[in-house]
Amino acid sequence: MRKNEKESSGTAPEMPKQAYKDGLHKLQVELVKLQRHFIQCDDKILIIFEGRDAAGKDGAIKRIVQHLSPRETRVVALGKPSDRDRASWYFQRYVPYLPAAQELVLFNRSWYNRAGVERVMGFCTDTEYEEFMGSVSDFEHMLVRSGIKLLKYYLDISKPEQKQRLNERKRDPLTQWKVSTLDNIALKKWKQYSLARDEMLAHTHNSIAPWTIVRADDKQLARLNIIKDLLSRLHYADKDERLILPDPKIVFGFDTAYLEGGLLAK
């Protein structure tokens, strides 16, 4: 949605470009402080990003890792599972990419593919889906007990915003690599994806591995507030507490009441 469209619709216009750049720079300085700290303390940090196609996962991750050391930072975006992957324990293909001490790992989609695209598109059986939903929390609790600091973000966008972004993706020669045969299906199966999202959040949100929801129609606000939220949740030295307070209208912890309360895109 363009700036003038937002103003005419009564929603807040986009923030000025320079204000966004200045705010992002300050937060990226905090991210560098965080990295220095978790390297010194041998921390293991895993951040999962989920959301519909074109929800803004790539852009958010890019801004997080932009000025971090690539030796201790990894972005994981796995492709289609191989025949061997499909014949193995479902979580097995993800285990080699988990963080070791001194590492920050960001998953651009994760094992939750099974609860999303695989569920909606019929790429897994009902039995495989039920097995995943029954075991994923145990798997994540094991990771947390092993010392991994786990953060899970779901980027939520409206149907008109997704449609616009997918169309822009097709027109932009620099984003052709993002174009997928599933893009058009994503819009046609909007309701099915909404139902899958609701089931996933309701069944896999808990106090040990909670979900954080991000209202992501405004990319810039989403990026800034994701960084603020993750900085506020992780310990590091010399933290600027005033800078990292996220907007609770943009980023907030999931609650099952939100499924009927209109806080998630329908």
Side-chain angles (χ1 to χ4, degrees):
M1 188 178 290
R2 303 300 183 194
K3 182 175 180 179
N4 59 345
E5 291 173 341
K6 290 186 177 184
E7 289 171 343
S8 62
S9 66
T11 57
E14 293 178 357
M15 67 190 313
K17 183 177 293 187
Q18 192 58 48
Y20 167 69
K21 289 183 176 180
D22 291 345
L24 179 61
H25 175 76
K26 292 176 182 177
L27 291 171
Q28 288 174 331
V29 170
E30 293 295 304
L31 286 168
V32 172
K33 293 181 189 177
L34 169 66
Q35 183 167 59
R36 185 186 307 123
H37 181 88
F38 71 68
I39 290 174
Q40 292 174 347
C41 297
D42 288 339
D43 286 343
K44 298 173 285 187
I45 303 174
L46 174 61
I47 306 177
I48 288 175
F49 287 90
E50 292 290 341
R52 300 178 195 265
D53 290 335
K57 300 179 291 296
D58 291 330
I61 291 171
K62 178 180 178 180
R63 273 67 182 184
I64 292 170
V65 305
Q66 189 170 7
H67 298 290
L68 298 182
S69 167
R71 290 188 299 276
E72 291 84 15
T73 308
R74 288 188 286 116
V75 176
V76 178
L78 300 183
K80 293 170 59 177
S82 66
D83 290 341
R84 185 178 187 279
D85 290 330
R86 285 189 286 268
S88 304
W89 176 48
Y90 177 70
F91 296 102
Q92 187 167 321
R93 71 189 297 241
Y94 297 97
V95 170
Y97 301 97
L98 295 173
Q102 303 184 4
E103 286 187 337
L104 166 66
V105 174
L106 304 97
F107 275 30
N108 186 345
R109 296 194 183 277
S110 66
W111 41 81
Y112 284 104
N113 273 341
R114 175 136 295 177
V117 64
E118 289 191 19
R119 175 64 165 170
V120 173
M121 298 303 300
F123 295 157
C124 67
T125 66
D126 290 344
T127 299
E128 288 171 333
Y129 170 78
E130 291 165 5
E131 166 61 25
F132 169 79
M133 294 294 272
S135 61
V136 62
S137 291
D138 290 337
F139 175 69
E140 291 177 348
H141 293 177
M142 180 176 62
L143 299 183
V144 173
R145 288 196 302 270
S146 76
I148 291 176
K149 300 180 187 298
L150 173 63
L151 302 178
K152 303 190 300 187
Y153 290 97
Y154 184 88
L155 278 62
D156 196 48
I157 58 172
S158 63
K159 188 174 184 180
E161 183 67 19
Q162 185 189 45
K163 182 177 181 180
Q164 177 180 299
R165 292 184 187 181
L166 291 175
N167 287 336
E168 290 176 348
R169 177 183 292 180
K170 293 175 184 177
R171 293 193 298 266
D172 188 344
L174 296 179
T175 58
Q176 291 301 297
W177 62 274
K178 292 186 177 183
V179 176
S180 165
T181 56
L182 297 178
D183 286 354
N184 290 332
I185 300 175
L187 289 168
K188 293 177 180 177
K189 291 185 175 288
W190 175 270
K191 290 185 178 180
Q192 293 94 320
Y193 272 107
S194 294
L195 179 59
R197 173 204 63 196
D198 293 352
E199 291 178 347
M200 179 191 78
L201 294 173
H203 285 86
T204 63
H205 172 78
N206 55 77
S207 59
I208 297 176
W211 279 104
T212 299
I213 307 300
V214 182
R215 282 181 164 169
D217 273 11
D218 187 316
K219 290 182 180 181
Q220 294 180 340
L221 285 178
R223 292 166 185 167
L224 295 179
N225 281 279
I226 288 170
I227 298 174
K228 288 180 180 182
D229 186 80
L230 71 88
L231 289 170
S232 70
R233 292 172 182 270
L234 297 170
H235 175 69
Y236 62 96
D238 300 321
K239 181 185 293 190
D240 188 337
E241 298 286 355
R242 297 169 299 174
L243 182 64
I244 62 171
L245 291 175
D247 183 343
K249 298 188 295 296
I250 305 296
V251 178
F252 47 90
F254 173 74
D255 189 289
T256 53
Y258 298 160
L259 300 180
E260 301 298 332
L263 289 180
L264 298 179
K266 293 295 185 182

